[in-house]
Amino acid sequence: MKKILFFAVLLACTVFTACEKEEIGGTATESMAGQWYVTVDAVDESGNPIEGGEDYFGIGKVLFFTYNTSANSENEMWIDDRGEFDLASAYSYGAYPSYSIKSKVTVNQDALTFFASNAENNADENAYGSELYNVDVEGKILKGAGTQNNGSKADSIVIFVSYKNDPWYPDDGYAKYKISGIRYSGLVEND
């Protein structure tokens, strides 16, 4: 009888222990990570689009990504266009530069800001071998400041980027680029 009682208690402990769920944590930059629908404008020093500067690259609204580094540090993250700003490939013309961007930035999660100075650009090489330029970055995430197509509130993002050795600056009359938009919702009605 003692053996049966022992096995019953052991079985009950095993069942209750097996039913416990382990909490899965997020990444260190979870509050700032995401997918964003953005456009790229050429802007003056004040951040206002120059004449003809709205959707400067003519690519429309595209996805842009912010995500943690492999070190999972709370003080840095990646910003990444996943090749969307590669003009040489987009226009099948090797004389255009690649404005693709994939760079590590320093983050301040309390203020939801991020920045980089002369950051290495780790974007993938394009088919034309266009040069990738290092970047200066200044960005901010604004909680609930955007509106989806369906009227629901969404976080928005604003990033100012300057490319080192930009071949079109200053001749085209802009000071930097403004990448801005809202968090991707995943709902077809908001695309």
Side-chain angles (χ1 to χ4, degrees), residues 40 57 59 80-103 121-135 161-168 174 177:
V40 181
F57 295 152
I59 56 176
D80 189 350
D81 78 332
R82 301 268 175 115
E84 294 288 350
F85 306 161
D86 179 2
L87 299 189
S89 294
Y91 295 111
S92 301
Y93 184 58
Y96 278 127
S98 174
Y99 286 97
S100 283
I101 181 173
K102 179 181 178 184
S103 295
N121 192 341
N122 294 286
D124 291 335
E125 292 288 327
N126 64 42
Y128 296 95
S130 296
E131 183 180 354
L132 293 171
Y133 308 111
N134 285 358
V135 293
V161 177
S162 299
Y163 293 86
K164 299 297 181 181
N165 303 316
D166 184 341
W168 293 346
Y174 60 86
Y177 298 100

Side-chain angles (χ1 to χ4, degrees), residues 1-11:
M1 184 69 162
K2 288 181 183 178
K3 286 184 182 180
I4 293 174
L5 184 59
F6 172 75
F7 285 117
V9 170
L10 182 63
L11 179 63

Side-chain angles (χ1 to χ4, degrees), residues 38-67:
V38 300
T39 56
V40 181
D41 300 329
V43 298
D44 61 22
E45 284 294 340
S46 300
N48 300 312
I50 62 166
E51 173 107 20
E54 292 182 359
D55 189 17
Y56 191 67
F57 295 152
I59 56 176
K61 189 167 68 166
V62 296
L63 279 175
F64 189 86
F65 299 82
T66 55
Y67 52 90

